[in-house]
Amino acid sequence: MKFEDYHIAPEIKRGLLELGYKRPTDIQFKSIPAILKGEDVLAIAQTGTGKTAAFAIPVLNISMENKRARRPEGVRCIVMVPTHELALQVTDVFEKIGKYTDVKILCLIGGVDQSPQIDQLEEGVDILIATPGRLFDLVSQGHLFLNRVDTLVLDEADHMLDLGFIEDIHDLIKRLPRDRQTLFFSATINETIKNLAYGLVRNAIRIQISPNDPVAKKIDHAVAYIEMDDKRFFLERIIKENPESKILVFVRTRVRAERVSKAMQKVEIETQTIHGEKEQDDRIDVLNQFRSGALKVLIATDISARGIDVPDIDYVINYDLPEQSENYVHRVGRTGRANKKGVAITFCSKEEIPTLREIESFLDKTIEVMEINKKDYSYTLESTFDTDTNWQKLMLDDEKAQALKKKKKR
Ligand code: AMP
């Protein structure tokens, strides 16, 4: 069935057409009719399946119908998400699909000035996409009223729990009308998530996409055994051999992100980093560069990973293994989005093998090994542009130089 045959507003169909969405993905096929009927939904779907549009399409349609019925003004739908990046990405999907509708959409996140947000709220907003912090700030300041909300969407609920937002979710629920539609989306499921979900939804339609294979089929993912100190040479090689490709590199910490970026700079590879400690404006700017293709290599930490919706990422490189197994799924899910193929390569050092095994047991399968023979391994180390092999010393030199610069500035 094509979108053109759906019972949805022509304005929405036009938005979908412009986006190039012709047919629903699996999750969309299963959830759109149920949501349109007003049912609660509990969906377990990994990233990259089209889950955002799975709720955005029907929610926009419902908002349009509500307007036609001339119901009172006020926020009618709240989409709660865990991170700023995801909020921006979800807003972007709503805005594109809703481009030809008159539904008012607002993204409410912290780290940016709140006055324009307050102004927009005063003018009237139908759908609010928010992270918990700013949402509660504005509720407590009396700028936002939740008594007219009739649809609640929780997106990436598992990630919200990881980030410790459980209290916020419960707080929000207490303030919402009991009679509402709840759409609960999570990439993974466990006992805690189940308990949270069943406390929120009523007679929900359950939808589960590829429960036994959390990594989408169109993603080729493999592990390469590479020693910690050699990883940068392999990254250099992959980037240089694929100059036109968009590559997303994952590291464990902010410090690692900066280090890897410096290592690439030394071999004349331009990269940018994105992590929780970057200013919001910088993060948005870097993501836009990456999206437009002006930037080819982005180095990210897990915290910033879920919001990265760049449809044409060719490679995901796990430079470090993720500490939480679920994050493996989220990381590799950045490539191979919608109908595109993707490749994910994990660099695993000796010390990281236990973490790799944990990930495999989470996936319930072993990850294919990308064999690197000895000759190829040494060739990679030898062919680097980096002539100074004393890496530790270089890092120290660099830190000293930075300190000196700061001193001089003072
Ligand atoms: P999501 O799982 O919501 O993060 O979406 C993953 C990607 O799929 C995004 O890049 C969307 O633009 C794309 N997408 C979603 N639905 C469709 C569709 N029906 N046809 C083609 N692409 C889609």
Side-chain angles (χ1 to χ4, degrees):
M1 189 163 162
K2 292 186 183 160
F3 280 128
E4 60 190 57
D5 305 319
Y6 272 65
H7 290 292
I8 49 176
E11 293 87 340
I12 294 176
K13 288 184 182 172
R14 198 170 157 203
L16 291 170
L17 196 70
E18 210 166 280
L19 274 169
Y21 296 3
K22 292 193 181 77
R23 291 170 188 283
T25 63
D26 204 8
I27 178 83
Q28 291 162 5
F29 180 74
K30 290 178 176 145
S31 54
I32 293 172
I35 301 175
L36 286 174
K37 265 196 246 154
E39 311 265 14
D40 279 5
V41 164
L42 197 170
I44 308 300
Q46 69 224 45
T47 51
T49 51
K51 66 179 174 61
T52 317
F55 58 78
I57 296 169
V59 161
L60 278 163
N61 202 70
I62 292 169
S63 300
M64 288 182 76
E65 282 174 356
N66 279 343
K67 285 190 99 107
R68 279 188 202 134
R70 292 191 198 284
R71 305 270 280 280
E73 286 294 312
V75 174
R76 307 297 301 269
C77 169
I78 288 192
V79 182
M80 177 112 121
V81 301
T83 62
H84 291 174
E85 279 77 19
L86 186 65
L88 292 168
Q89 174 203 319
V90 169
T91 306
D92 189 51
V93 173
F94 269 95
E95 280 174 350
K96 285 190 174 134
I97 299 176
K99 185 172 165 190
Y100 297 102
T101 70
D102 58 355
V103 176
K104 298 272 182 292
I105 298 154
L106 174 64
C107 179
L108 204 62
I109 53 176
V112 292
D113 186 11
Q114 66 171 35
S115 345
Q117 297 174 340
I118 296 170
D119 291 348
Q120 247 182 290
L121 281 170
E122 272 163 17
E123 277 168 30
V125 167
D126 300 306
I127 299 173
L128 196 63
I129 295 121
T131 49
R134 183 58 60 92
L135 180 91
F136 286 113
D137 283 352
L138 295 189
V139 170
S140 61
Q141 291 171 30
H143 295 295
L144 172 62
F145 302 95
L146 303 175
N147 52 322
R148 287 188 178 130
V149 173
D150 49 22
T151 312
L152 169 69
V153 184
L154 283 182
D155 191 19
E156 300 202 347
D158 49 348
H159 198 201
M160 271 197 238
L161 296 189
D162 288 348
L163 295 178
F165 286 144
I166 182 110
E167 287 301 318
D168 295 289
I169 300 173
H170 285 304
D171 249 24
L172 175 70
I173 303 303
K174 271 190 242 148
R175 294 163 192 257
L176 297 181
R178 283 175 69 85
D179 190 18
R180 57 159 202 273
Q181 185 178 20
T182 305
L183 314 174
F184 187 102
F185 282 75
S186 178
T188 53
I189 185 104
N190 59 29
E191 273 314 300
T192 327
I193 294 163
K194 245 188 235 169
N195 289 338
L196 174 68
Y198 284 118
L200 299 181
V201 297
R202 277 183 291 185
N203 300 324
I205 307 285
R206 288 195 49 159
I207 300 167
Q208 195 153 0
I209 304 294
S210 315
N212 300 323
D213 191 2
V215 177
K217 293 238 173 358
K218 57 193 181 302
I219 300 175
D220 281 334
H221 60 124
V223 59
Y225 291 107
I226 300 171
E227 287 321 313
M228 199 55 101
D229 289 343
D230 300 336
K231 288 183 175 184
R232 64 200 164 98
F233 301 118
F234 282 86
L235 182 62
E236 176 188 350
R237 184 169 169 188
I238 292 177
I239 297 172
K240 291 214 166 129
E241 283 179 359
N242 298 280
E244 291 311 314
S245 298
K246 243 184 221 182
I247 302 175
L248 179 59
V249 182
F250 280 106
V251 290
R252 224 168 3 89
T253 62
R254 170 184 62 85
V255 176
R256 300 266 302 157
E258 296 303 337
R259 283 200 183 158
V260 176
S261 177
K262 285 228 169 78
M264 292 304 109
Q265 196 185 349
K266 275 185 56 48
V267 294
E268 289 159 19
I269 292 173
E270 196 214 327
T271 64
Q272 294 273 8
T273 60
I274 184 164
H275 47 69
E277 279 179 42
K278 277 220 152 161
E279 291 292 325
Q280 182 68 15
D281 286 350
D282 285 349
R283 281 152 69 164
I284 296 172
D285 182 44
V286 165
L287 268 183
N288 283 342
Q289 285 183 44
F290 194 48
R291 207 168 275 135
S292 74
L295 172 71
K296 292 284 186 212
V297 185
L298 179 62
I299 303 172
T301 56
D302 285 306
I303 189 78
S304 48
R306 296 213 187 185
I308 301 176
D309 179 38
V310 177
D312 46 359
I313 294 175
D314 303 290
Y315 289 91
V316 163
I317 308 288
N318 287 323
Y319 193 88
D320 294 324
L321 267 81
E323 271 163 3
Q324 286 181 331
S325 300
E326 299 98 275
N327 283 342
Y328 180 86
V329 178
H330 299 303
R331 286 178 176 196
V332 305
R334 299 297 108 193
T335 180
R337 317 216 86 193
N339 300 320
K340 295 215 164 82
K341 277 218 160 256
V343 178
I345 304 171
T346 299
F347 292 178
C348 179
S349 69
K350 253 192 232 89
E351 304 79 24
E352 292 172 305
I353 292 175
T355 315
L356 177 69
R357 298 294 168 245
E358 273 173 36
I359 294 170
E360 289 180 327
S361 89
F362 174 79
L363 299 176
D364 205 17
K365 56 161 70 172
T366 53
I367 300 172
E368 196 189 313
V369 177
M370 202 171 145
E371 298 289 351
I372 309 173
N373 64 39
K374 270 201 177 137
K375 218 169 115 196
D376 217 21
Y377 198 106
S378 353
Y379 170 77
T380 308
L381 305 197
E382 284 155 14
S383 58
T384 177
F385 271 43
D386 184 356
T387 45
D388 195 338
T389 46
N390 189 345
W391 181 239
Q392 299 291 343
K393 179 178 168 297
L394 263 175
M395 289 310 301
L396 261 167
D397 286 351
D398 186 66
E399 274 158 29
K400 274 188 203 152
Q402 296 291 340
L404 203 69
K405 239 195 217 163
K406 266 194 197 155
K407 226 178 174 180
K408 272 190 186 154
K409 262 193 193 161
R410 279 191 229 129

